Amino acid sequence: MCSSDLDCAAWEFLGDYLPESAGTDRPRMAVAGCGSGSAIRGLLELDPQLRDWDIDGFDVDYKAIRAARQNFAGEPNVQFHVGDIRDPDVLPTGQFDVVYMHGIFDHCGEHRLVLANVHRALKGGGRLFYVAPDRNLYTWLAFVSIGPTFVSGLHKTTHDFRRFPRPTELSRLLENLGYRIVPKHAGLRRPAIAGLEYTTKMNPFSSGQAFKTHNLAGLTIELTTTRRWLGDRHLGEYVGAAEKPHLR
Protein backbone atom coordinates (compact mmCIF):
# COMPACT_ATOMS: atom_id res chain seq x y z
CA MET A 1 0.00 0.00 0.00
CA CYS A 2 1.45 3.35 -1.06
CA SER A 3 1.53 5.98 1.67
CA SER A 4 0.08 8.50 -0.76
CA ASP A 5 -3.18 6.51 -0.79
CA LEU A 6 -3.73 7.39 2.87
CA ASP A 7 -2.60 10.95 2.31
CA CYS A 8 -5.05 11.39 -0.55
CA ALA A 9 -7.88 10.07 1.60
CA ALA A 10 -6.85 12.41 4.43
CA TRP A 11 -6.74 15.35 2.02
CA GLU A 12 -10.35 14.74 0.99
CA PHE A 13 -11.18 15.90 4.51
CA LEU A 14 -8.36 18.39 5.13
CA GLY A 15 -8.69 20.07 1.74
CA ASP A 16 -11.95 21.63 2.93
CA TYR A 17 -10.03 23.44 5.69
CA LEU A 18 -7.37 25.30 3.75
CA PRO A 19 -6.59 28.64 5.43
CA GLU A 20 -7.82 31.96 4.06
CA SER A 21 -4.20 32.95 3.40
CA ALA A 22 -4.07 30.23 0.72
CA GLY A 23 -6.13 32.49 -1.53
CA THR A 24 -3.62 35.35 -1.53
CA ASP A 25 -0.27 35.65 -3.32
CA ARG A 26 1.40 32.27 -3.94
CA PRO A 27 0.70 29.89 -1.04
CA ARG A 28 3.41 27.69 0.44
CA MET A 29 3.18 24.30 2.12
CA ALA A 30 5.73 22.21 4.03
CA VAL A 31 5.42 18.42 4.10
CA ALA A 32 7.28 16.97 7.08
CA GLY A 33 8.54 13.42 6.74
CA CYS A 34 8.10 13.56 2.97
CA GLY A 35 10.27 10.52 2.15
CA SER A 36 10.85 10.21 -1.58
CA GLY A 37 7.87 12.45 -2.34
CA SER A 38 5.10 9.92 -2.99
CA ALA A 39 2.63 11.78 -0.75
CA ILE A 40 3.37 15.09 -2.49
CA ARG A 41 2.89 13.47 -5.89
CA GLY A 42 -0.42 11.97 -4.79
CA LEU A 43 -1.70 15.28 -3.42
CA LEU A 44 -0.74 17.13 -6.59
CA GLU A 45 -2.67 14.60 -8.65
CA LEU A 46 -5.68 14.72 -6.33
CA ASP A 47 -5.94 18.49 -5.85
CA PRO A 48 -5.04 20.52 -8.96
CA GLN A 49 -5.00 23.82 -7.04
CA LEU A 50 -1.84 22.64 -5.25
CA ARG A 51 0.03 23.00 -8.55
CA ASP A 52 -0.10 26.74 -7.92
CA TRP A 53 1.56 26.31 -4.52
CA ASP A 54 5.23 26.26 -3.58
CA ILE A 55 5.84 22.99 -1.73
CA ASP A 56 8.83 22.12 0.46
CA GLY A 57 9.47 18.53 1.56
CA PHE A 58 11.57 17.79 4.65
CA ASP A 59 13.02 14.47 5.77
CA VAL A 60 15.95 13.20 7.84
CA ASP A 61 16.76 10.50 5.27
CA TYR A 62 19.19 12.00 2.75
CA LYS A 63 18.78 9.02 0.40
CA ALA A 64 15.00 9.57 0.31
CA ILE A 65 15.52 13.28 -0.36
CA ARG A 66 17.95 12.48 -3.16
CA ALA A 67 15.32 10.20 -4.73
CA ALA A 68 12.64 12.90 -4.26
CA ARG A 69 14.76 15.47 -6.06
CA GLN A 70 15.19 13.06 -8.95
CA ASN A 71 11.45 12.29 -9.01
CA PHE A 72 10.58 16.00 -9.17
CA ALA A 73 13.34 17.16 -11.48
CA GLY A 74 12.01 19.94 -13.70
CA GLU A 75 9.30 20.96 -11.19
CA PRO A 76 10.73 24.12 -9.60
CA ASN A 77 7.72 24.72 -7.36
CA VAL A 78 8.58 21.56 -5.35
CA GLN A 79 11.82 21.63 -3.35
CA PHE A 80 13.29 19.08 -0.93
CA HIS A 81 15.48 19.53 2.13
CA VAL A 82 17.41 17.18 4.39
CA GLY A 83 16.59 18.10 7.95
CA ASP A 84 15.04 17.12 11.26
CA ILE A 85 12.07 19.33 12.13
CA ARG A 86 12.98 18.94 15.80
CA ASP A 87 15.85 21.29 14.93
CA PRO A 88 14.53 24.88 15.21
CA ASP A 89 16.78 25.96 12.33
CA VAL A 90 15.25 23.59 9.77
CA LEU A 91 11.82 25.17 9.20
CA PRO A 92 12.04 28.89 8.29
CA THR A 93 10.07 31.31 10.44
CA GLY A 94 6.65 32.55 9.34
CA GLN A 95 6.81 31.14 5.81
CA PHE A 96 4.09 28.51 5.45
CA ASP A 97 0.34 28.63 4.90
CA VAL A 98 0.10 24.89 5.63
CA VAL A 99 2.37 22.35 7.30
CA TYR A 100 1.29 18.75 6.64
CA MET A 101 2.53 15.92 8.87
CA HIS A 102 1.87 12.20 8.54
CA GLY A 103 3.94 9.54 10.26
CA ILE A 104 5.61 11.95 12.65
CA PHE A 105 3.87 11.53 16.01
CA ASP A 106 4.11 7.72 16.06
CA HIS A 107 7.87 7.74 15.37
CA CYS A 108 8.98 10.85 17.27
CA GLY A 109 8.64 11.36 21.01
CA GLU A 110 9.32 15.10 21.10
CA HIS A 111 5.78 16.16 20.18
CA ARG A 112 5.95 19.50 22.00
CA LEU A 113 9.22 20.49 20.35
CA VAL A 114 7.99 19.53 16.86
CA LEU A 115 4.71 21.40 17.25
CA ALA A 116 6.45 24.49 18.64
CA ASN A 117 8.77 24.58 15.61
CA VAL A 118 5.82 24.16 13.26
CA HIS A 119 3.92 26.97 15.03
CA ARG A 120 6.88 29.28 14.50
CA ALA A 121 7.13 28.28 10.82
CA LEU A 122 3.46 29.01 10.05
CA LYS A 123 2.23 32.39 8.91
CA GLY A 124 -0.46 34.04 11.01
CA GLY A 125 -3.65 32.25 10.01
CA GLY A 126 -1.65 29.30 8.67
CA ARG A 127 -2.73 25.78 9.54
CA LEU A 128 -1.21 22.52 10.68
CA PHE A 129 -2.74 19.44 9.04
CA TYR A 130 -1.85 16.16 10.73
CA VAL A 131 -2.46 12.42 10.53
CA ALA A 132 -1.80 10.34 13.65
CA PRO A 133 -2.76 6.95 15.08
CA ASP A 134 -5.12 6.94 18.05
CA ARG A 135 -3.95 5.05 21.16
CA ASN A 136 -6.24 2.16 22.02
CA LEU A 137 -6.41 -1.64 21.96
CA TYR A 138 -7.10 -1.82 18.24
CA THR A 139 -4.14 0.37 17.23
CA TRP A 140 -1.86 -1.64 19.51
CA LEU A 141 -2.94 -4.83 17.76
CA ALA A 142 -2.87 -3.36 14.24
CA PHE A 143 0.28 -1.21 14.41
CA VAL A 144 2.44 -2.87 17.04
CA SER A 145 1.75 -6.50 17.94
CA ILE A 146 -0.14 -8.58 15.36
CA GLY A 147 -0.46 -6.32 12.33
CA PRO A 148 3.23 -5.75 11.43
CA THR A 149 4.14 -9.45 11.57
CA PHE A 150 1.05 -11.30 10.36
CA VAL A 151 -0.53 -8.72 8.02
CA SER A 152 2.32 -6.55 6.72
CA GLY A 153 5.00 -9.24 6.82
CA LEU A 154 7.48 -7.11 8.77
CA HIS A 155 10.06 -8.61 11.10
CA LYS A 156 9.22 -6.03 13.77
CA THR A 157 7.12 -2.93 14.17
CA THR A 158 8.49 0.54 13.45
CA HIS A 159 5.92 2.20 15.73
CA ASP A 160 6.17 3.09 19.41
CA PHE A 161 2.71 2.69 20.94
CA ARG A 162 3.58 4.96 23.86
CA ARG A 163 3.95 7.86 21.42
CA PHE A 164 0.48 7.52 19.87
CA PRO A 165 -1.42 10.67 20.96
CA ARG A 166 -5.13 10.46 21.63
CA PRO A 167 -7.07 13.27 19.94
CA THR A 168 -7.93 14.99 23.23
CA GLU A 169 -4.28 14.86 24.33
CA LEU A 170 -3.04 16.27 21.05
CA SER A 171 -5.67 19.04 21.01
CA ARG A 172 -4.74 20.03 24.56
CA LEU A 173 -1.04 20.20 23.66
CA LEU A 174 -1.78 22.26 20.56
CA GLU A 175 -3.82 24.77 22.56
CA ASN A 176 -1.07 25.00 25.19
CA LEU A 177 1.38 25.94 22.42
CA GLY A 178 -0.86 28.73 21.12
CA TYR A 179 -2.76 26.99 18.34
CA ARG A 180 -6.49 27.35 17.80
CA ILE A 181 -8.30 24.09 17.15
CA VAL A 182 -10.13 24.47 13.84
CA PRO A 183 -13.87 23.72 14.25
CA LYS A 184 -15.86 21.59 11.87
CA HIS A 185 -17.86 23.37 9.21
CA ALA A 186 -21.62 24.00 9.45
CA GLY A 187 -21.26 25.91 12.71
CA LEU A 188 -20.48 22.85 14.80
CA ARG A 189 -18.39 23.32 17.92
CA ARG A 190 -16.67 19.99 17.51
CA PRO A 191 -13.05 20.05 16.29
CA ALA A 192 -12.23 19.33 12.65
CA ILE A 193 -11.11 15.76 13.29
CA ALA A 194 -12.08 12.59 11.42
CA GLY A 195 -11.08 8.95 11.69
CA LEU A 196 -9.07 7.43 8.85
CA GLU A 197 -9.68 3.71 8.41
CA TYR A 198 -8.66 1.29 5.70
CA THR A 199 -9.72 -2.26 4.99
CA THR A 200 -7.20 -4.90 6.02
CA LYS A 201 -7.31 -8.34 7.57
CA MET A 202 -7.01 -6.55 10.92
CA ASN A 203 -10.17 -4.48 10.43
CA PRO A 204 -13.38 -6.51 10.34
CA PHE A 205 -15.29 -3.45 11.62
CA SER A 206 -14.99 -1.18 8.59
CA SER A 207 -18.01 0.67 7.22
CA GLY A 208 -21.06 1.59 9.27
CA GLN A 209 -19.42 4.80 10.55
CA ALA A 210 -18.07 6.06 7.23
CA PHE A 211 -19.11 9.47 5.88
CA LYS A 212 -16.74 9.45 2.90
CA THR A 213 -15.09 6.53 1.10
CA HIS A 214 -11.97 6.58 -1.05
CA ASN A 215 -11.40 3.60 -3.37
CA LEU A 216 -7.91 2.99 -4.71
CA ALA A 217 -7.07 -0.14 -6.74
CA GLY A 218 -9.09 -2.46 -4.54
CA LEU A 219 -8.14 -0.69 -1.30
CA THR A 220 -10.96 1.07 0.51
CA ILE A 221 -10.09 3.97 2.81
CA GLU A 222 -12.87 5.57 4.85
CA LEU A 223 -13.25 8.82 6.73
CA THR A 224 -15.19 7.93 9.85
CA THR A 225 -16.51 9.11 13.20
CA THR A 226 -15.42 7.68 16.56
CA ARG A 227 -16.50 4.24 17.77
CA ARG A 228 -18.59 4.22 20.94
CA TRP A 229 -17.64 0.63 21.80
CA LEU A 230 -13.98 1.72 21.69
CA GLY A 231 -14.55 4.49 24.22
CA ASP A 232 -15.33 7.12 21.56
CA ARG A 233 -11.92 6.65 19.98
CA HIS A 234 -10.84 6.09 16.41
CA LEU A 235 -10.36 2.70 14.84
CA GLY A 236 -6.92 3.38 13.39
CA GLU A 237 -5.60 6.81 12.47
CA TYR A 238 -7.27 10.22 12.57
CA VAL A 239 -6.78 13.51 10.74
CA GLY A 240 -7.16 17.02 12.09
CA ALA A 241 -6.39 20.71 11.69
CA ALA A 242 -5.11 23.48 13.98
CA GLU A 243 -4.43 27.13 13.23
CA LYS A 244 -1.84 29.68 14.27
CA PRO A 245 -3.92 32.76 15.12
CA HIS A 246 -3.13 36.13 13.58
CA LEU A 247 -1.21 38.49 15.83
CA ARG A 248 -3.40 41.24 17.23
Side-chain angles (χ1 to χ4, degrees):
M1 177 174 56
C2 176
S3 63
S4 65
D5 295 346
L6 295 176
D7 294 302
C8 287
W11 199 262
E12 289 199 359
F13 177 78
L14 296 171
D16 291 335
Y17 293 91
L18 289 173
E20 293 181 2
S21 61
T24 61
D25 299 324
R26 186 174 177 89
R28 189 178 181 188
M29 175 169 69
V31 178
C34 65
S36 61
S38 61
I40 294 175
R41 178 64 70 198
L43 295 180
L44 287 170
E45 293 172 354
L46 176 70
D47 192 346
Q49 69 176 315
L50 292 179
R51 297 170 191 167
D52 296 323
W53 288 51
D54 289 322
I55 300 176
D56 294 82
F58 296 85
D59 204 287
V60 296
D61 187 342
Y62 74 92
K63 292 183 179 179
I65 292 297
R66 183 169 58 192
R69 288 170 177 164
Q70 293 172 349
N71 294 335
F72 284 82
E75 299 182 53
N77 64 310
V78 184
Q79 300 293 320
F80 293 94
H81 316 271
V82 178
D84 188 334
I85 62 170
R86 291 173 293 187
D87 182 342
D89 296 323
V90 168
L91 294 174
T93 300
Q95 294 296 308
F96 297 105
D97 298 275
V98 170
V99 175
Y100 177 69
M101 302 198 311
H102 181 192
I104 300 296
F105 295 120
D106 42 325
H107 296 287
C108 168
E110 295 92 337
H111 296 173
R112 176 176 288 273
L113 177 60
V114 166
L115 293 172
N117 288 341
V118 169
H119 187 275
R120 180 180 47 78
L122 287 168
K123 300 176 182 177
R127 291 184 173 180
L128 164 67
F129 289 168
Y130 59 84
V131 182
D134 204 343
R135 190 175 73 253
N136 52 57
L137 177 60
Y138 176 81
T139 53
W140 179 76
L141 292 170
F143 289 88
V144 179
S145 59
I146 297 176
T149 301
F150 297 102
V151 177
S152 302
L154 300 176
H155 177 65
K156 63 179 180 178
T157 182
T158 59
H159 298 89
D160 186 342
F161 182 70
R162 298 168 298 177
R163 296 173 176 173
F164 292 11
R166 291 174 178 160
T168 53
E169 296 170 347
L170 184 53
S171 293
R172 190 180 308 118
L173 176 57
L174 288 165
E175 290 179 325
N176 288 342
L177 289 169
Y179 290 87
R180 180 184 74 89
I181 304 303
V182 175
K184 278 190 174 179
H185 291 320
L188 299 175
R189 294 186 177 181
R190 290 177 294 173
I193 294 175
L196 184 64
E197 301 178 17
Y198 42 96
T199 54
T200 69
K201 297 175 184 178
M202 285 293 298
N203 186 8
F205 309 106
S206 61
S207 260
Q209 298 292 105
F211 62 86
K212 187 177 287 187
T213 299
H214 195 75
N215 292 300
L216 294 143
L219 176 72
T220 300
I221 304 175
E222 299 172 336
L223 290 165
T224 64
T225 56
T226 56
R227 302 305 180 98
R228 184 172 298 177
W229 59 267
L230 201 59
D232 285 327
R233 295 173 187 163
H234 294 285
L235 192 67
E237 297 183 273
Y238 61 96
V239 302
E243 181 178 281
K244 176 181 180 178
H246 287 280
L247 293 176
R248 296 180 178 178

